[in-house]
């Protein structure tokens, strides 16, 4: 059976999901292109440090939970967030395998499902926190809830589809909605997160704040 | 014609900073916040008041919701999804309160943001929008106006300024035991043009004498100016970059006029940031001369062996407050510690300190906006507690703006500490040959 024959075997919902993914990637590419076209800051102040190592630090050391109050003061939320994001990326990966109906060994299916279950519970926990916590609720908008619900349901649907093929239609329809929503709502932080870390690294690197070090320097006077 | 009490012209000018000129920084940060709300604990205004309206995320949300309403697909056609807001009078009034009245642009939230949103940068853009709409608080604008109209933000007449310098020259000459020791004024061709925070000639003249003493012992070739000596630039905080350019340009011109080799910026965090880091960008030209802070200058004198400090002079416990603009936004982190560790035997860091320090509460122009005095003093309670926990008797800070706020919280919270600038404590310990 060649590729054409395989494609002919796909049902309508198995067709729309990759199409939605294509649209999503195209829209995200638009965001990326726009950022690249606008370019990096053109700072005319003489630098006090190096941007390269600072950007690297911004993406690595500065992300360490020991360095950020948003992490070390909120460890349960931080941990739930990390697991939730890993689960989301794993679900995206499994989407391709489910699309081509790649069979998994039962043990692997069990392990993947177990992780996704934990991840989906984390996502649901974050959602509950947003609803219950008065301060967080007052900050939230429908996009915050919708983004969370879509990503969490996507993970839950992935688990179900791994075991129950009759869920495939719902799974691919849900995946299509999620893909189409990513570039429109806050889920586009999948792009902007890296851009933000870059700019932060650039700013602190140019001004000699990052990466932190012990070396003394002498300024010309 | 008006739009909810904003004129069409105001609306147009107010939205102009969001139009995406320049690089990708603005677009990035306007689109990055995920509303996790975890930044709240990094903001002294929230910590001091527990008011959820004052969290950094709310400030980001305020400006990004306006951006979304005019610049994104969902914001334009389905505003309810992201609570995208039109820029109207109510929104602008809220922006005034949050961007001017409850943020010192200290940048601590930025460093701790789970994503990396440059929150203080977005607040600065918000202030720019408000400045474009002529909505800068009158108190802050009057400080800017004084600088523009008189050449210094305290409107000190030149005769008074010169009298103060003469008086300080006598003080300094007495201290060093040299009747020839002087404070040079308007002397061309010197190696250094030194600038002051106008609070010095107005309220704290002894800090001028202190720095003059350091220059004297270092054998420095330096001068002050009468035409332009003000290191501050409150227009940078008001968001009116045309006025900030006008003020900064005077200092550039004075450097050229006096033909000085280097510019040394007096102890002022925001003044150093506004000139050293920001002015080349809003003036769109690079410096033709070296620029440094007085802290770096003093550190260099020590390294070069031009001054020596007596470790027996300061015996009490000393701590240091890091000015946000000098440290987090200026990269001057080690120099002040290097200086103090030369002669202070009992130095203790605040916790947190360095790039993680809490703002004193008086930054971002807040000291000049009396309508926010209560909030500012309350926010200063975080710093007061930090100071108390060190058990120090002296608090050193290389920023006259911070000195003012620290003096006020010292009295309000009954800390019983002595507040000193870096030049003042160095001058106390300096060995006069």
């Amino acid at each position: 059976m060649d590729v054409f024959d395989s494609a002919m075997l796909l049902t309508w919902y198995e067709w729309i999901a990759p199409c939605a993914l294509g649209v999503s990637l195209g829209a995200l590419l638009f965001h990326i292109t726009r950022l690249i076209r606008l370019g990096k800051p053109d700072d005319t102040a003489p630098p006090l440090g190096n941007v390269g190592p600072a950007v690297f630090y911004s993406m690595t050391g500065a992300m360490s939970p020991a360095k950020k109050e948003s992490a070390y003061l909120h460890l349960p939320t931080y941990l739930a967030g990390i697991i939730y994001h890993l689960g989301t990326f794993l679900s995206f990966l499994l989407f391709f395998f489910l699309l081509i109906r790649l069979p998994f060994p039962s043990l692997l299916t069990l392990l993947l499902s177990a992780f996704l279950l934990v991840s989906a519970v984390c996502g649901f926990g974050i959602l509950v926190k947003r609803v219950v916590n008065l301060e967080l609720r007052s900050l939230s908008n429908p996009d915050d809830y919708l983004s969370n619900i879509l990503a969490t349901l996507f993970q839950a649907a992935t688990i179900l589809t791994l075991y129950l093929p009759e869920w495939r239609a719902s799974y691919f329809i849900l995946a299509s909605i999620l893909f189409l929503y990513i570039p429109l709502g806050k889920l586009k932080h999948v792009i902007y997160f890296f851009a933000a870390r870059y700019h932060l690294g650039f700013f602190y690197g140019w001004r000699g704040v990052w990466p932190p070090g012990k070396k003394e320097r002498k300024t010309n006077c | 014609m008006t739009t909810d009490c904003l004129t069409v012209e105001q609306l147009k000018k107010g939205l102009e900073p969001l139009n995406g000129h320049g690089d990708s920084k603005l677009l990035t940060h306007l689109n990055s916040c995920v509303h996790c709300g975890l930044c709240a604990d990094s903001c002294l205004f929230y910590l001091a008041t527990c008011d959820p309206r004052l969290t950094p995320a709310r400030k980001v949300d305020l400006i990004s919701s306006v951006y979304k309403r005019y610049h994104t697909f969902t914001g334009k056609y389905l505003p309810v999804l992201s609570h995208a807001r039109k820029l109207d009078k109510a929104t602008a009034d809220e922006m005034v309160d949050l961007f001017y009245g409850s943020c010192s642009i200290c940048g601590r939230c930025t460093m701790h943001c789970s994503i990396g949103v440059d929150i203080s940068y977005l607040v600065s853009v918000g202030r720019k929008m408000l400045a474009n709409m002529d909505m800068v608080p009158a108190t802050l604008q009057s400080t800017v106006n004084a600088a523009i109209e008189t050449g210094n933000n305290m409107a000190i007449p030149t005769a008074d300024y010169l009298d103060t310098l003469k008086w300080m020259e006598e003080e300094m000459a007495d201290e060093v035991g040299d009747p020839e020791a002087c404070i040079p004024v308007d002397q061309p061709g010197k190696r250094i043009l030194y600038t002051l925070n106008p609070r010095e000639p107005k309220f704290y003249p002894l800090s001028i004498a202190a720095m003059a003493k350091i220059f004297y012992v270092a054998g420095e070739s330096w001068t002050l100016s009468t035409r332009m000596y003000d290191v501050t630039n409150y227009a940078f905080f008001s968001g009116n970059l045309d006025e900030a350019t006008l003020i900064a340009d005077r200092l550039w011109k004075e450097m050229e006029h006096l033909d000085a080799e280097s510019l040394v910026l007096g102890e002022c965090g925001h003044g150093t940031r506004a000139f050293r880091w920001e002015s080349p960008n809003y003036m769109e030209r690079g410096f033709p001369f070296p620029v440094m802070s007085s802290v770096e200058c003093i550190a260099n004198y020590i390294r070069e062996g031009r001054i020596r400090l007596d470790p027996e002079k300061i015996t009490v416990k000393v701590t240091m407050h890091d000015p946000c603009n000098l440290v987090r936004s200026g990269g001057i982190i080690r120099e002040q510690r290097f200086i103090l560790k030369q002669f202070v035997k009992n130095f203790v860091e605040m916790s947190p300190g360095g790039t993680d320090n809490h703002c004193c509460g008086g930054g971002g122009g807040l000291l000049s906006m009396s309508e926010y005095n209560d909030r500012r003093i309350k926010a200063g309670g975080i710093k007061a507690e930090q100071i108390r926990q060190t058990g120090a008797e002296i608090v050193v800070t290389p920023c006259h703006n911070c000195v003012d706020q620290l003096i006020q919280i010292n009295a309000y919270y009954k800390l019983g500490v002595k507040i000193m600038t870096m030049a003042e404590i160095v001058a106390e310990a300096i060995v006069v040959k």
Side-chain angles (χ1 to χ4, degrees):
Chain A
M1 196 162 59
D2 60 19
V3 175
F4 181 75
D5 290 334
S6 304
M8 291 303 287
L9 288 174
L10 293 178
T11 55
W12 63 271
Y13 50 80
E14 287 168 332
W15 266 110
I16 61 159
C19 289
L21 179 61
V23 171
S24 180
L25 290 175
L28 289 176
L29 193 63
F30 164 75
H31 284 285
I32 295 169
T33 313
R34 194 167 53 154
L35 289 172
I36 293 172
R37 188 167 42 81
L38 286 168
K40 63 179 184 173
D42 183 21
D43 200 326
T44 40
L48 203 55
N50 297 317
V51 168
V55 169
F56 180 75
Y57 176 74
S58 176
M59 304 272 184
T60 54
M63 291 296 297
S64 137
K67 296 286 180 189
K68 294 200 294 188
E69 280 183 353
S70 55
Y72 64 74
L73 292 180
H74 304 273
L75 273 177
T77 304
Y78 172 78
L79 196 63
I82 293 287
I83 294 171
Y84 184 44
H85 279 78
L86 289 174
T88 306
F89 285 116
L90 176 64
S91 298
F92 282 132
L93 184 68
L94 290 175
F95 166 81
F96 295 102
F97 295 139
L98 287 170
L99 186 67
I100 60 170
R101 296 169 193 265
L102 188 78
F104 291 109
S106 56
L107 180 63
L108 183 60
T109 306
L110 183 69
L111 289 172
L112 291 171
S113 303
F115 183 77
L116 285 178
L117 182 64
V118 173
S119 162
V121 167
C122 287
F124 183 68
I126 291 169
L127 180 67
V128 169
K129 186 183 173 189
R130 193 174 283 284
V131 174
V132 172
N133 185 302
L134 196 64
E135 286 184 17
L136 201 50
R137 195 167 71 219
S138 71
L139 176 68
S140 305
N141 57 40
D143 176 31
D144 295 317
Y145 296 107
L146 191 55
S147 300
N148 183 308
I149 289 167
L150 281 174
T152 306
L153 283 180
F154 182 53
Q155 295 179 25
T158 305
I159 302 170
L160 285 172
T161 313
L162 281 170
Y163 284 103
L164 305 166
E166 59 268 33
W167 273 84
R168 287 181 70 83
S170 305
Y171 169 77
F172 283 108
I173 290 168
L174 180 67
S176 304
I177 295 169
L178 174 66
F179 292 151
L180 290 176
Y181 189 68
I182 287 172
L184 298 175
K186 78 166 186 182
L187 293 174
K188 62 178 181 288
H189 75 264
V190 67
I191 300 296
Y192 284 96
F193 166 79
F194 295 100
R197 297 309 304 180
Y198 169 79
H199 279 289
L200 208 59
F202 186 99
F203 177 83
Y204 288 130
W206 194 268
R207 298 191 178 201
V209 179
W210 280 357
K214 291 192 169 82
K215 270 178 71 177
E216 284 174 5
R217 59 169 173 256
K218 184 172 180 287
T219 315
N220 291 326
C221 178
Chain B
M1 194 176 160
T2 62
T3 310
D4 299 325
C5 298
L6 284 182
T7 66
V8 171
E9 185 66 12
Q10 270 184 309
L11 182 66
K12 191 180 158 200
K13 284 184 173 176
L15 291 171
E16 199 273 336
L18 297 180
N19 286 344
H21 308 304
D23 56 60
S24 59
K25 184 174 178 176
L26 180 62
L27 189 69
T28 294
H29 294 304
L30 283 168
N31 281 291
S32 296
C33 182
V34 295
H35 288 174
C36 68
L38 301 178
C39 50
D41 292 320
S42 303
C43 173
L44 79 161
F45 287 93
Y46 172 76
L47 289 174
T49 62
C50 293
D51 181 350
R53 218 172 52 83
L54 305 187
T55 62
R58 291 294 280 266
K59 291 159 194 165
V60 172
D61 187 53
L62 188 53
I63 185 168
S64 62
S65 64
V66 172
Y67 161 78
K68 284 172 187 164
R69 186 69 182 84
Y70 296 93
H71 292 279
T72 66
F73 179 81
T74 49
K76 278 179 192 169
Y77 302 108
L78 194 58
V80 69
L81 187 66
S82 57
H83 287 170
R85 298 169 68 161
K86 278 187 175 174
L87 181 59
D88 54 22
K89 185 68 167 58
T91 304
D93 286 342
E94 196 180 343
M95 287 169 73
V96 170
D97 189 50
L98 291 192
F99 295 165
Y100 287 111
S102 65
C103 180
S104 58
I105 316 187
C106 77
R108 192 167 186 275
C109 52
T110 298
M111 234 168 203
H112 287 289
C113 172
S114 61
I115 295 284
V117 180
D118 194 338
I119 299 162
S120 55
Y121 164 72
L122 289 181
V123 168
S124 297
V125 174
R127 287 188 177 195
K128 202 171 165 186
M129 292 169 68
L130 293 164
N132 281 3
M133 293 189 284
D134 291 325
M135 291 184 73
V136 177
T139 43
L140 178 58
Q141 189 57 49
S142 70
T143 308
V144 176
N145 291 346
I148 290 170
E149 286 158 19
T150 71
N152 69 85
N153 74 41
M154 296 240 156
I156 303 166
T158 304
D160 292 1
Y161 168 64
L162 286 170
D163 278 351
T164 304
L165 292 185
K166 195 74 199 154
W167 168 35
M168 286 303 108
E169 187 175 81
E170 289 161 11
E171 287 281 328
M172 194 261 290
D174 276 352
E175 273 207 47
V176 299
D178 178 1
E180 300 297 312
C182 68
I183 295 179
V185 180
D186 291 335
Q187 292 191 9
K190 297 287 184 175
R191 212 174 77 84
I192 284 173
L193 171 63
Y194 183 62
T195 57
L196 304 170
N197 184 313
R199 281 188 176 85
E200 295 179 76
K202 185 86 173 177
F203 302 120
Y204 313 109
L206 289 173
S207 73
I208 304 174
M211 195 64 200
K213 185 178 175 184
I214 295 167
F215 282 139
Y216 171 84
V217 175
E220 189 55 87
S221 155
W222 70 289
T223 186
L224 282 169
S225 163
T226 49
R227 284 171 294 272
M228 182 59 190
Y229 60 85
D230 185 353
V231 68
T232 70
N233 193 336
Y234 279 92
F236 167 66
F237 281 144
S238 76
N240 188 329
L241 295 189
D242 290 335
E243 291 178 341
T245 299
L246 196 149
I247 292 168
D249 190 49
R250 286 179 181 164
L251 204 46
W252 285 54
K253 284 186 174 144
E254 193 57 10
M255 278 296 290
E256 288 166 13
H257 180 256
L258 288 174
D259 193 25
E261 279 177 37
S262 303
L263 179 65
V264 173
L265 303 164
E267 292 187 69
C268 177
H270 100 260
T272 303
R273 176 182 179 180
F275 193 81
R276 162 71 176 84
W277 290 109
E278 313 291 350
S279 78
N281 292 313
Y282 47 72
M283 296 182 72
E284 297 174 352
R285 54 184 154 131
F287 291 124
F289 45 79
V291 179
M292 67 180 349
S293 70
S294 59
V295 175
E296 293 168 293
C297 187
I298 294 169
N300 284 349
Y301 289 156
I302 296 170
R303 289 192 188 103
E304 291 163 1
R306 292 170 68 177
I307 61 172
R308 283 192 302 116
L309 303 167
D310 183 354
E312 302 303 322
K313 290 279 184 180
I314 308 289
T315 52
V316 298
K317 192 186 269 190
V318 175
T319 189
M320 181 174 58
H321 164 66
D322 282 300
C324 311
N325 285 305
L326 217 57
V327 177
R328 253 192 306 273
S329 297
I332 299 172
I333 304 155
R334 291 174 289 271
E335 283 76 355
Q336 54 272 52
R337 288 165 174 78
F338 168 76
I339 295 168
L340 290 177
K341 284 173 182 173
Q342 302 300 309
F343 66 102
V344 175
K345 285 177 172 172
N346 198 355
F347 174 69
V348 57
E349 288 276 8
M350 282 190 200
S351 178
T355 55
D356 200 24
N357 75 314
H358 279 293
C359 174
C360 62
L366 272 158
L367 263 170
S368 65
M369 293 183 269
S370 52
E371 59 268 51
Y372 300 114
N373 274 355
D374 290 346
R375 200 185 273 168
R376 170 172 60 80
I377 293 295
K378 199 167 186 180
I382 304 292
K383 179 57 61 181
E385 192 48 37
Q386 271 193 292
I387 293 170
R388 207 189 301 275
Q389 282 179 7
T390 64
E393 290 179 43
I394 295 176
V395 180
V396 178
T397 185
C399 171
H400 274 282
N401 196 73
C402 297
V403 164
D404 251 19
Q405 169 75 350
L406 292 177
I407 285 173
Q408 289 185 40
I409 63 173
N410 188 21
Y412 186 85
Y413 293 99
K414 300 180 172 52
L415 298 175
V417 292
K418 185 179 181 185
I419 315 293
M420 298 180 86
T421 65
M422 185 61 76
E424 285 167 359
I425 196 165
V426 167
E428 263 198 38
I430 202 163
V431 178
V432 181
K433 291 160 196 163

